[in-house]
């Protein structure tokens, strides 16, 4: 059976997903050996692009995420501070990590969720004619209006915004899609739910528990938590992914 991975839109909590990827690379050889495609929205699309095009750059991606978070944290008003160019810093990080042939590696294997800026309809793209076009798709999927800027990102002649507004956790049309999210819910790899409430919220095709912890995580997605908490989130993602691999018998229980 074909296996896919999908990473949720989650802003700076993408560090959790990068931790999960680290566990998959170290312990999930059987799973990755049958990997057909990866999908994602916003930060999840960025994580998916690393898995498909540059898994060897995982540590560099983690380092960039920490630097990026530190720079946002230093701004008086965070990402919306006048004079701070959020999208420029994101572009520089993407260019640093993606290999020159990233668009060829991504062809039909990387599925990026976008939201049309005018119709607000979702589109999943998996064809990229150049590395620059791939970068534009990743930037478009990550663009939160007003937070990241005022002008939507152009891709293939149209303008787009964050894919997390319309499909924050894309499911591939064929095979099983293993879902990864830093929000507790019914996803395959996610933090355990520790609250009493069983109420679920649906956020752009992703179900999450209505809990104080998830509300805190939603805030941290846009306003990165302190450095120590960022490192802890990465470790939690790693441990939750290892737990999933053991539960699903993808790796020996001794891993």
């Amino acid at each position: 059976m074909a296996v896919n991975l999908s990473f949720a839109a989650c802003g700076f909590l993408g560090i959790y997903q990068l931790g999960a990827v680290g566990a998959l690379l170290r312990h999930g050889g059987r799973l990755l050996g049958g990997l057909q495609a990866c999908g994602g929205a916003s930060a999840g699309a960025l994580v998916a692009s690393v898995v498909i095009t540059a898994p060897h750059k995982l540590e560099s991606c983690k380092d960039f995420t920490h630097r990026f978070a530190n720079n946002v944290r230093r701004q008086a008003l965070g990402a919306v501070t006048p004079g701070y160019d959020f999208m420029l810093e994101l572009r520089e990080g993407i260019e640093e990590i993606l290999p020159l042939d990233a668009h060829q590696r991504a062809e039909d294997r990387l599925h990026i969720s976008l939201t049309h800026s005018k119709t607000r309809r979702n589109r999943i793209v998996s064809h990229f004619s150049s590395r620059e076009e791939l970068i534009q798709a990743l930037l478009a999927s990550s663009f939160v209006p007003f937070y990241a800027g005022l002008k939507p990102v152009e891709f293939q002649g149209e303008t787009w915004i964050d894919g997390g507004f319309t499909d924050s956790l894309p499911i591939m049309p064929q095979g099983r899609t293993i879902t990864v999210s830093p929000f507790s819910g019914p996803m395959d790899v996610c933090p355990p739910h520790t609250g009493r409430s069983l109420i679920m919220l649906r956020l752009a095709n992703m179900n999450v528990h209505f809990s104080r912890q998830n509300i805190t995580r939603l805030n941290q997605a846009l306003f990165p938590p302190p450095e120590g908490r960022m490192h802890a989130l990465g470790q939690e993602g790693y441990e939750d992914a290892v737990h999933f691999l053991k539960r699903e018998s993808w790796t020996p229980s001794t891993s």
Side-chain angles (χ1 to χ4, degrees), residues 32-212:
L32 295 178
L35 185 64
Q36 175 177 264
C38 280
S42 195
L46 299 171
V47 174
S49 73
V50 173
V51 175
I52 291 296
T53 73
H56 61 290
K57 289 286 193 74
L58 177 63
E59 293 305 316
S60 296
C61 192
K62 290 180 183 178
D63 291 342
F64 165 71
T65 303
H66 285 288
R67 292 199 310 272
F68 196 7
N70 284 335
N71 287 341
V72 169
R73 225 181 275 117
R74 279 199 291 264
Q75 307 303 315
L77 300 175
V80 299
T81 302
Y84 176 67
D85 196 331
F86 180 93
M87 295 302 286
L88 176 60
E89 184 159 3
L90 179 58
R91 168 182 268 279
E92 290 174 347
I94 293 172
E95 290 183 339
E96 174 188 325
I97 291 163
L98 292 187
L100 294 177
D101 64 345
H103 59 294
Q104 296 170 335
R105 300 186 187 197
E107 186 72 10
D108 294 326
R109 297 194 69 215
L110 176 61
H111 296 249
I112 301 175
S113 175
L114 305 173
T115 300
H116 196 277
S117 66
K118 296 178 180 178
T119 67
R120 294 301 193 266
R121 292 181 178 176
N122 183 262
R123 179 182 171 193
I124 304 293
V125 297
S126 58
H127 172 73
F128 315 97
S129 61
S130 66
R131 182 174 181 268
E132 175 59 25
E133 192 170 81
L134 170 58
I135 291 173
Q136 287 300 112
L138 291 169
L139 290 172
S141 185
S142 303
F143 181 81
V144 177
F146 302 108
Y147 175 85
L150 299 177
K151 187 178 179 181
V153 178
E154 184 172 329
F155 171 74
Q156 294 183 347
E158 298 183 83
T159 54
W160 306 85
I161 61 175
D162 197 309
F165 287 124
T166 49
D167 190 350
S168 59
L169 193 61
I171 303 300
M172 304 299 104
Q174 297 180 340
R176 177 186 177 184
T177 298
I178 296 169
T179 52
V180 185
S181 172
F183 304 105
S184 63
M187 287 70 71
D188 294 299
V189 179
C190 67
H193 176 52
T194 57
R196 295 182 179 180
S197 173
L198 298 179
I199 298 174
M200 301 291 288
L201 297 178
R202 189 160 181 81
L203 304 177
N205 292 345
M206 178 174 63
N207 292 320
V208 301
H209 288 290
F210 179 65
S211 67
R212 181 179 300 175

Side-chain angles (χ1 to χ4, degrees), residues 8-19 43 47 65 181-183 213-214 216-225 229-230 233-234:
C10 61
F12 285 102
L13 297 192
I15 194 67
Y16 172 95
Q17 297 178 322
L18 292 173
V47 174
T65 303
S181 172
F183 304 105
Q213 292 87 348
N214 272 346
T216 297
R217 292 172 186 131
L218 284 168
N219 180 69
Q220 292 174 337
L222 296 178
F223 304 97
R229 179 58 184 151
M230 290 280 289
L233 283 164

